Amino acid sequence: MKAKNQRLTLILVAVAAMIGAALLAMSALKDEAAYFYSPADLAAARPSADQALRLGGMVADKSIKREADGVTITFMVTDGKAQTPVRFKGIAPDLFKENSGVVAEGKLGADGVFVADNILAKHDERYMPPQMDGKMHKTGKVE
Amino acid sequence: MTAELGLILLLIAAALAALQFGLGAISLRNPQAGGHASIKPVAVLQGIAVALSFLCLIWVFLETDLSVKLVAANSHPDKPLLYKFAGAWGNHEGSMLLWVTVLGIAGGAVALFEKRLKVTSLTATLAAQAAISIGFYAFLLFASNPFERLNPAPETGQGLNPLLQDPGLAFHPPTLYFGYVGMSVAFSFAVGALITREVGPTFARAMRPWVLIAWIFLTLGIVAGSYWAYYELGWGGWWFWDPVENASLMPWLATTALLHSVTVLATRDGLRAWTVMLAVVAFSMSMVGTFLVRSGILTSVHAFAVDPKRGAFILALLALYIGGALTLFGLRIGTVREGNRFDPLSREGALVANNLLLSAILGIVMVGTLYPLIAESLTGEKLSVGPPYFNATTGPLALILVAVMAAGPVLRWRRDEWSAMARRLALPILFGAAALLAVVLSAPGIGILPLLGLVLAIGVGAASLAPLWKRNLRRTPLFTWGMVISHLGVAISMAGMASESAFTKETLTAVTVGETRSVGPWSVTLKEVHPVAGPNWTAMEGAMEARRGSTLIASATQARMFASPPTETNEAAISTVWDGQLYLVLGKHQPDGRWQVRMWWKPFVTLIWLGGILIALGGLLAMIGRLRRELKPKGEAA
């Protein structure tokens, strides 16, 4: 390399690479970040159907219903203020049960039913999702 | 009394760390004071004291001393012995004690074995290592005392999270920690070299084996963690872009970059400032990872407890050490001369490209991991960033990186010719083209990333062997073999990833006993379901039979119920055949009598971890090779 200052060139290349990476990250974040909603948020915001999102709350009492194929379930997620119906095809996690915390990942269908690709469940406060923690009581957050 | 002994040993270790730091600081100011001679034994003693303290913790777990709060909260008298033992670090306090134990042992090992570094640099390095230790001892003693007593002692313990009750717990965390915390040595070396202004090839050669050994452990820890998640979670995936996985991936990316740049510094005296920077960044990533995992701000099986005070404590330590090191870097880097120059097309050029790409991937992973936390603290908005983001961004960069990896080793140092490179890579390119043709013809619907992954894997696999061409294999240095095997491991692992993502077949269904369903080329029958009992769990076990042509495989999958704490886990039935794995999970029993069954056929998925092990093995060979060569002339080879 004939450049007078190779160190400067290297720094410029590195900075360019980092800016490129940052731009790539930002554009991907805009498309792919899944926002966290409670049923009440969802009722208020009505996000578009192709937007990946997360729905968190408690599984409503006596709301889990099984469909005939044996692997699809529907249930209601509640935050005390609103309820959202959820449909999920798959094996529900071991800790998934009524009256316990749940986070469903998926998309809101046009019919208002949340179609979950994945369900995360936590069986007690020790494993309560922090997102839910903030929603339910205002502690446990790092300032 | 064991708990009190452990606490006293911990206090002694903390005091020794303070002494070690003081001795280092004094002898750097006043070289005549004689501190250089005494800092080494202090570092060794500190390592011994903290290791003994950790043994005390293991001891109270082994005897299930329920008057110790940590044992009562995380253990149970009925737990199998292995999990009593490994349970010592299956919790917040114990894992932090393991953390500082590795820190202390690493410092002691440097004091004992590091002979190449100048005495002032070594003193500064040990002082830096002690400075890190002091902060984390304070964290343990003030915010996470593992030896705290309970009065009165409870009748029984709460048990260990059943997901952790797996042989993997005995292996994965310690391995990962040796890698994670082992990087503290590189950090301390960098700080030491900055303080004594000794950034050069000698520093690089001294640091390299330490970086290699930490990197080997980190690689193995990640591979083990990936396989553990794969078989224990029952989700059929091998990498979830979980923040905790990212927390281990980030230091690995930085360390891998460091490993390559340190070679430029050692061999060609180039990339001085950059190498020092990477050493600081690599361990900073380890600390960021510790903060993410241990502060409780993440949802994870790894996030044992939510305690904001602890998170703030670790965050303060993080700011102190990373900020301190970066400030030192800023103040001193002007005095580090520019290293030797090189052409863009040269071994150095390829290694710079490797470093930039690894750093870019690191940056992208870090942004994706931290963005949800930052967004929430700034705007209160809750969001998550998952596989779609990470795959779309890191996938293409990783493919470019691997392509550079094919070219790098066949390039000459300082300068090379494009035509010469093309000539040396002709055969691998031919292999890649053949693979392209074969894949496109046999699997026309394949996605672009898996296609490129497979093609590159074949081409790069061939290229990774290129440095051995026309060489006398017996006289090829061991570290060259190490590089070849590591690079081959990358190609093999990538082939596994591409094959898994392109060719996996999945069937999700509900069956009655005796029914057969197919997944890919396999016909799977649920033969029977019966109850079984383990030491601290009961389970429903599904006996499965899978048939493909004349091959017949019987396997068993369990849905386990643990009494303490009351939890269920799935034990997948994983059968390995030469061309992949059949992954069967027994789900829930339906009210109509059917059983949910989830089945995957994953062609060549095993290559992912096999490649990972080869990567680590290559690192081991490189380390042995370097040590042998460098210690020989001084007559120190044992």
Side-chain angles (χ1 to χ4, degrees), chain A residues 1 3-7 10 13-14 18 21 24-25 28-29 32-36 54 66 68-71 89-95 122-123 126-127 129-131 134-135 140-142, chain B residues 161 273 297-299 306 308 336-338 341-344 352 356 359-360 364 367 371 376 381-385 388-389 393 508-510 566-570 587-588 590-591 594 596 598:
Chain A
M1 187 179 287
K4 272 267 163 61
N5 197 333
Q6 177 157 358
R7 185 179 250 184
L10 282 176
V13 171
M18 287 300 118
L24 184 63
L29 270 183
E32 311 286 5
Y35 285 81
F36 186 88
R54 289 181 145 201
R66 289 178 173 75
D69 66 354
V71 289
K89 185 175 181 197
I91 295 178
D94 305 314
L95 309 175
K122 302 288 156 185
H123 84 297
R126 259 210 303 177
Y127 301 107
Q131 291 101 330
K135 294 270 172 187
K141 247 174 62 186
V142 177
Chain B
N161 180 356
I297 56 177
L298 297 176
T299 322
V306 182
V336 174
R337 269 192 317 105
E338 187 184 339
R341 298 191 171 186
F342 49 86
D343 257 28
V352 167
L356 289 178
S359 307
I364 284 170
V367 166
Y371 183 68
E376 186 180 342
E381 194 124 45
K382 290 162 192 293
L383 55 96
S384 75
V385 176
Y389 163 83
T393 48
L508 174 65
T509 183
T567 312
E568 298 168 32
T569 66
N570 276 313
K588 302 275 181 293
Q590 298 299 299
R594 289 185 297 173
Q596 293 179 331
R598 192 165 203 168

Side-chain angles (χ1 to χ4, degrees), chain A residues 27-122:
Chain A
S27 79
L29 270 183
K30 231 173 63 196
D31 298 340
E32 311 286 5
Y35 285 81
F36 186 88
Y37 290 84
S38 69
D41 296 340
L42 212 53
R46 285 276 146 194
S48 68
D50 60 340
Q51 173 77 45
L53 46 96
R54 289 181 145 201
L55 171 69
M58 303 295 270
V59 182
D61 194 29
K62 299 196 178 69
S63 71
I64 300 181
K65 305 253 181 331
R66 289 178 173 75
E67 295 196 358
D69 66 354
V71 289
T72 305
I73 53 169
T74 59
F75 57 93
M76 303 295 279
V77 173
T78 175
D79 59 358
K81 286 172 261 170
Q83 291 202 335
T84 307
V86 179
R87 165 198 279 270
F88 170 67
K89 185 175 181 197
I91 295 178
D94 305 314
L95 309 175
F96 172 79
K97 41 183 88 98
E98 286 165 351
N99 299 315
S100 85
V102 67
V103 174
E105 301 176 332
K107 289 170 182 172
L108 188 65
D111 54 356
V113 177
F114 186 91
V115 181
D117 319 312
N118 197 11
I119 287 186
L120 312 166
K122 302 288 156 185

